Amino acid sequence: MEEYAREPCPWRIVDDCGGAFTMGAIGGGIFQAVKGFRNSPSGMNHRLKGSLTAIRTRAPQLGGSFAVWGGLFSMIDCGLVKVRGKEDPWNSITSGAMTGAILAARNGPVAMVGSAAMGGILLALIEGAGILLTRFASSQLPTGPQFEEPSPMPTSSFGDYRQYQ
């Protein structure tokens, strides 16, 4: 199954890490803006300052957390591609489970198992949805009418200028 064009493996890690940081920083910025606005004292100036302060202090941390997750996921995914010799949904599912387990290692083996299960299930749902969406989209596209190739036109010899008279 050929996926969309992706970067080769060493560069994929950097690409995914940067994309994850961007998603975390933007999403975290929006979330923190609302949270800072709601938790500030009354008055528009206080609320706007509280919103900006929350964005400035928390959004980069969330972006960094997302970048760590994305970078670790991509490193494991690239390692599995190298070891297994093929790219398929099982690599992503396994990478999600292993990433969840590694990031929860400081909390003990029970937390590792729970995070691995959640990471694997989440990636299985994402991969399954992608496969179903691809199949649905490909079945909806019309193939169009099939045309026959036209027969070639007779060609005249190089020195035949009668057709221009």
Side-chain angles (χ1 to χ4, degrees):
M1 179 171 94
E2 188 64 32
E3 225 177 298
Y4 56 92
R6 292 183 68 178
E7 295 286 330
C9 243
W11 301 111
R12 184 185 305 177
I13 297 167
V14 176
D15 188 39
D16 288 350
C17 195
F21 177 83
T22 304
M23 284 191 303
I26 291 172
I30 293 169
F31 181 77
Q32 292 301 319
V34 172
K35 185 177 175 184
F37 188 84
R38 290 183 64 203
N39 293 334
S40 294
S42 62
M44 190 55 75
N45 284 339
H46 291 296
R47 290 187 185 267
L48 290 176
K49 285 180 186 177
S51 180
L52 290 174
T53 301
I55 293 170
R56 190 172 52 243
T57 58
R58 192 76 177 118
Q61 293 173 352
L62 288 169
S65 296
F66 271 67
V68 167
W69 197 95
L72 186 59
F73 176 85
S74 291
M75 286 192 320
I76 294 170
D77 192 36
C78 285
L80 288 173
V81 167
K82 182 73 173 173
V83 169
R84 295 183 67 222
K86 59 182 172 180
E87 266 190 72
D88 60 359
W90 288 109
N91 288 347
S92 295
I93 295 168
T94 306
S95 298
M98 291 176 73
T99 300
I102 290 170
L103 291 177
R106 293 174 56 183
N107 296 329
V110 175
M112 285 178 68
V113 170
S115 292
M118 287 305 295
I121 290 169
L122 178 67
L123 265 296
L125 290 172
I126 291 170
E127 288 292 327
I131 290 170
L132 288 176
L133 190 63
T134 303
R135 286 186 182 168
F136 179 74
S138 66
S139 68
Q140 295 297 318
L141 293 175
T143 56
Q146 301 297 324
F147 296 107
E148 295 179 16
E149 273 195 44
S151 60
M153 294 183 60
T155 59
S156 61
S157 66
F158 179 70
D160 190 13
Y161 292 105
R162 287 179 289 179
Q163 62 184 356
Y164 299 113
Q165 294 177 353

